[in-house]
Amino acid sequence: MSYSITEPSNGQKWIAGTLVILYAVITMIPLLWIMMTSFKTPPDSISYPPKVFYEPSLEGYVNLFTTRTRVSPEKLASLPPPANFAEEIVRNRDMVIAGPSKFGGRFLNSVIIGFGSTFLSIFLGTLAAYAFSRFKIPLADDLLFFILSTRMMPPIAVAIPIFLMYRKLGLSDTHLGMILLYTAVNISLAVWLLKGFIDEIPREYEEAALIDGYTRFQAFYKVVLPQAATGIASTAIFCLIFAWNEYAFAVLLTSGTAQTAPPFIPTIIGVGGLDWPAIAAGATLFLLPVMIFTVMLRKHLLRGITFGAVRK
Amino acid sequence: MAEVILKNLCKSFSRTKAVVDMDMTIPDGSFVVLLGPTGAGKTTTLRLISGLETIDSGEVTIDGRVVNEETPAQRDVAMVFQQYSLYPHLSVRDNLAFPLRSPILKTSNQEIERKVAEVAEKLHITSKLDNRATELSGGEMQRVSIGRALVRDPAVFLMDEPLSSLDARLRADLRIELKRIHSELGATLLYVTHDQIEAMTMATHVGVLQEGRLVQFGTPRDIYEDPESIYVASRLGLPRINILPAALFTSTSGMADTIGLRPEHVEYGVGQDASVKRVEHLGDQTRLHLDMQGYNITVLSPAGNPYSAGTTVKIQPVNPLCFDQSGNRITGRDA
Ligand SMILES: Nc1ncnc2c1ncn2[C@@H]1O[C@H](COP(=O)(O)OP(=O)(O)O)[C@@H](O)[C@H]1O
Ligand SMILES: [Mg+2]
């Protein structure tokens, strides 16, 4: 039998594979539990011992998107038959739907702020990284260090000044304010990561385009950007994950119009205790956009996350 | 097609002087090869002409126009890089069409299709047009790079060691194709290489660079037969010219300090003894490595390969090149 000394043996592959799968399963359990809880009824969600097998219910999702009021049994009997499955679920708990909850709006805020700041970080970060990579900039190294140094303290350390500043500027509880804040935090990471990726694109590509009749901006747009796609995708995911999950500033700076989902989800409280299925449903839906975004960019990500080590 | 004139061209990078006071006229329709070791300033010269580097002082004239202030796009030159000029994210077809789609040329789609097909045919890459650029072999990539220059009709083609990353056979094939393309188009070409066969077979003119200076410019034959210095003489010739003290041979006289002995300058059977240290059979030629009073001399064996290692052979220089102490040539009249 022929074998290669650099290729791991079958036994080694087996052990490595088993370890990776085991690790993946262990890290997936909490996520899986959240998803399972979101499809439980409130009694099932707090039963002891915990139920692994149960009859799935959409009650958590219904509760997540609605507000409900309790009514007397006589009133309930006098109502016309329920118009849809949501009303039916709610009436089984002696309640009626009073209106939509705030979750939809909060979720939309998260989408606007998360993707908005990611787009802005990448847009500005790519231009800055290109400039640092290609042009002779006076004090370039010092500037780059300065950009990185904004990351050296935890952002929350400047929470109070930012809070006061935002109040003065009228940016508190606005989409723009949150987009600018998350962009400011993310941009240093974006510039550094993207500079690394752009440094690896040979200059000859742009030079060839310049000679072939393109302007520098066109060369950047048509030649550099497509080749930096891998780096841009992985940087975008890092930025999105930060902005999407950020909790502390969201609690501090938003309460109404621009509140994002993370500070909102824990406030979902049912009648007589925490409504775990509704919270789990909120968490499950909250996970989806980042998951979808990551899966969409997966092809780029796998290559990008190794930071160029195994490119080409 | 156009003439290119360099006048007192200078370029320094911080402390290195890459190009020094270069004067050169590249005649319309010529195939000029720049020769010189690594670091001699060949690439910098091409980049100054194309506009990728700014000019410190001096003038570049293309087709009668001083182009110092023009952008690369405005200069109407095409350049083939040693590597990395194909865009990996595009197909071969789009790579070839890329220069035609530039805002300067704005070619119609029909015309693009026609030109791409024509060039692909010329370079035998028609079957690869729909491949991604990364799916090509080295030789095919370099053909496409050359093709990208050919789809345009530039004033001058600049090529920076375009064949150096290829294996010997491909190099030989592409050499012939390039020469053919040059004569078909009547294009002006400035070509950088280390390879003396490329220089000898393709060039109409050769420019030899030494530390940023143009030290000799002439036909390949001039450069080979009539070099102005040891440096220039060492650029061409395989095996390399043997540089020996003139005093080694009693037959050489005059003011020469050193002589340059090419294989064809050696007569066998007369003169002084040299011992054969090694015989190299290269197929089409056989080289003898001789030792004469501690000096190594590499020559070609006469027909029939009569000598073997360990034997002694008599040799005598015939019309060798003579150089003075500083390495400059002393020509027949004052030798
Ligand atoms: N961008 C640059 N920055 C600094 N030095 C350079 C640069 N480009 C070339 N040089 C220097 O200029 C000299 C000539 O280089 P080059 O033109 O590339 O030589 P060649 O192509 O003949 O090998 C070399 O000493 C090289 O180190
Ligand atoms: Mg070079």
Side-chain angles (χ1 to χ4, degrees):
Chain A
M1 208 175 91
S2 69
Y3 65 94
S4 148
I5 54 165
T6 51
E7 183 82 353
S9 72
N10 275 341
Q12 286 169 319
K13 281 184 191 166
W14 246 94
I15 295 170
T18 313
L19 283 176
V20 168
I21 290 169
L22 206 67
Y23 179 74
V25 168
I26 291 170
T27 52
M28 292 284 283
I29 285 175
L31 287 180
L32 200 65
W33 195 255
I34 289 174
M35 283 181 200
M36 282 168 66
T37 305
S38 75
F39 289 106
K40 286 179 179 174
T41 59
D44 278 350
S45 73
I46 52 170
S47 71
Y48 189 85
K51 284 193 177 173
V52 178
F53 301 100
Y54 57 90
E55 197 179 325
S57 149
L58 284 174
E59 188 167 347
Y61 290 89
V62 171
N63 290 355
L64 179 66
F65 282 101
T66 60
T67 56
R68 301 155 306 278
T69 46
R70 189 170 290 283
V71 292
S72 60
E74 304 80 53
K75 179 96 188 294
L76 203 60
S78 70
L79 289 173
N84 53 38
F85 79 96
E87 261 176 42
E88 196 176 329
I89 290 173
V90 171
R91 282 189 202 175
N92 286 339
R93 303 276 175 217
D94 296 338
M95 292 193 284
V96 291
I97 294 175
S101 75
K102 290 181 185 162
F103 181 75
R106 300 299 192 255
F107 192 82
L108 189 64
N109 285 344
S110 268
V111 171
I112 293 170
I113 291 168
F115 284 88
S117 76
T118 300
F119 174 79
L120 198 59
S121 305
I122 294 297
F123 179 76
L124 297 174
T126 309
L127 291 178
Y130 179 76
F132 275 118
S133 173
R134 293 296 197 255
F135 296 114
K136 276 204 191 100
I137 297 175
L139 300 179
D141 289 346
D142 302 287
L143 283 174
L144 276 170
F145 180 79
F146 171 73
I147 290 173
L148 186 67
S149 70
T150 61
R151 257 308 176 67
M152 290 180 183
M153 61 179 176
I156 200 70
V158 289
I160 304 294
I162 287 178
F163 178 75
L164 297 174
M165 215 160 72
Y166 266 43
R167 218 174 42 180
K168 200 92 180 163
L169 294 172
L171 286 172
S172 294
D173 207 13
T174 61
H175 293 106
L176 180 65
M178 296 311 286
I179 288 176
L180 290 179
L181 181 68
Y182 292 161
T183 303
V185 176
N186 271 335
I187 192 121
S188 61
L189 177 78
V191 170
W192 272 78
L193 287 183
L194 288 168
K195 177 174 179 295
F197 286 107
I198 292 175
D199 280 345
E200 283 194 18
I201 302 170
R203 281 160 182 261
E204 280 91 337
Y205 289 134
E206 287 150 85
E207 292 178 341
L210 289 182
I211 290 178
D212 283 341
Y214 291 81
T215 64
R216 186 171 269 282
F217 182 75
Q218 288 162 335
F220 168 74
Y221 181 76
K222 294 202 175 222
V223 176
V224 178
L225 271 195
Q227 294 192 66
T230 294
I232 290 175
S234 33
T235 310
I237 287 174
F238 285 122
C239 290
L240 180 68
I241 288 175
F242 170 80
W244 189 255
N245 291 339
E246 205 284 328
Y247 179 75
F249 278 108
V251 168
L252 186 72
L253 296 175
T254 66
S255 50
T257 39
Q259 192 183 39
T260 51
F264 175 75
I265 291 173
T267 67
I268 304 167
I269 298 174
V271 184
L274 285 176
D275 189 348
W276 289 114
I279 292 174
T284 304
L285 291 182
F286 183 67
L287 285 173
L288 283 180
V290 178
M291 254 165 65
I292 292 169
F293 190 62
T294 310
V295 169
M296 265 167 36
L297 300 183
R298 189 164 141 252
K299 195 181 85 202
H300 294 300
L301 195 62
L302 285 178
R303 290 198 311 162
I305 235 156
T306 53
F307 298 112
V310 289
R311 299 221 279 150
K312 183 140 187 127
Chain B
M1 301 309 117
E3 185 183 56
V4 177
I5 301 171
L6 310 183
K7 218 153 89 190
N8 292 324
L9 203 59
C10 292
K11 176 71 185 180
S12 309
F13 296 103
S14 52
R15 243 173 288 143
T16 354
K17 287 185 174 164
V19 170
V20 185
D21 255 342
M22 189 176 295
D23 281 304
M24 179 158 55
T25 299
I26 297 152
D28 188 7
S30 61
F31 194 129
V32 174
V33 166
L34 291 183
L35 274 182
T38 306
K42 307 179 297 290
T43 299
T44 307
T45 307
L46 293 196
R47 292 171 64 88
L48 287 170
I49 296 172
S50 65
L52 292 176
E53 300 287 355
T54 54
I55 295 167
D56 285 354
S57 64
E59 231 174 57
V60 175
T61 310
I62 300 176
D63 203 10
R65 213 167 73 241
V66 176
V67 297
N68 285 30
E69 301 301 321
E70 293 186 0
T71 64
Q74 292 165 333
R75 295 193 186 189
D76 193 24
V77 300
M79 187 150 164
V80 179
F81 293 82
Q82 186 169 353
Q83 48 179 345
Y84 294 135
S85 50
L86 292 193
Y87 303 125
H89 61 289
L90 298 181
S91 67
V92 171
R93 186 188 302 279
D94 288 335
N95 264 289
L96 288 174
F98 193 81
L100 297 173
R101 295 202 172 113
S102 79
I104 286 203
L105 290 183
K106 283 201 201 101
T107 321
S108 72
N109 281 338
Q110 248 178 331
E111 182 69 3
I112 289 178
E113 207 160 297
R114 191 186 65 75
K115 282 204 163 159
V116 167
E118 185 188 309
V119 167
E121 179 125 346
K122 201 176 278 176
L123 292 170
H124 313 297
I125 43 178
T126 307
S127 63
K128 307 281 182 182
L129 276 178
D130 293 310
N131 285 29
R132 280 198 146 228
T134 45
E135 295 166 347
L136 301 180
S137 70
E140 288 161 350
M141 280 192 195
Q142 219 45 11
R143 275 165 210 258
V144 179
S145 299
I146 293 167
R148 278 173 39 117
L150 295 182
V151 290
R152 292 174 48 193
D153 188 21
V156 53
F157 290 94
L158 306 172
M159 302 197 180
D160 193 357
E161 308 193 35
L163 308 185
S164 66
S165 56
L166 307 182
D167 64 55
R169 234 197 90 194
L170 266 170
R171 223 162 34 205
D173 289 350
L174 277 179
R175 209 164 56 216
I176 292 165
E177 278 175 47
L178 270 179
K179 186 67 195 165
R180 196 195 66 212
I181 288 163
H182 171 248
S183 53
E184 275 175 20
L185 295 178
T188 309
L189 239 142
L190 185 56
Y191 187 102
V192 165
T193 185
H194 292 320
D195 184 310
Q196 72 147 326
I197 300 180
E198 284 174 29
M200 293 301 286
T201 56
M202 297 197 289
T204 57
H205 302 73
V206 172
V208 180
L209 298 194
Q210 180 178 16
E211 290 169 6
R213 292 169 199 276
L214 181 69
V215 290
Q216 193 171 347
F217 188 84
T219 64
R221 216 172 140 176
D222 276 344
I223 303 287
Y224 182 83
E225 292 179 359
D226 203 8
E228 285 171 13
S229 65
I230 293 179
Y231 178 86
V232 175
S234 307
R235 295 299 115 210
L236 295 178
L238 274 180
R240 262 169 82 118
I241 190 165
N242 299 285
I243 303 296
L244 302 164
L248 195 59
F249 293 97
T250 45
S251 59
T252 50
S253 59
M255 311 152 52
D257 179 69
T258 41
I259 58 166
L261 211 56
R262 293 198 193 275
E264 61 270 27
H265 296 147
V266 172
E267 189 182 350
Y268 292 93
V270 286
Q272 289 160 252
D273 280 344
S275 60
V276 180
K277 284 196 306 186
R278 211 145 41 84
V279 181
E280 274 181 332
H281 296 282
L282 300 182
D284 58 336
Q285 53 172 243
T286 300
R287 290 184 186 172
L288 299 181
H289 293 264
L290 308 179
D291 178 279
M292 180 184 270
Q293 295 168 34
Y295 290 95
N296 293 320
I297 306 174
T298 308
V299 291
L300 293 181
S301 170
N305 303 326
Y307 305 112
S308 56
T311 58
T312 301
V313 54
K314 277 191 192 312
I315 56 167
Q316 170 169 291
V318 182
N319 300 325
L321 303 172
C322 300
F323 301 98
D324 66 15
Q325 262 167 338
S326 49
N328 291 322
R329 176 84 181 285
I330 308 167
T331 49
R333 268 155 282 128
D334 40 39

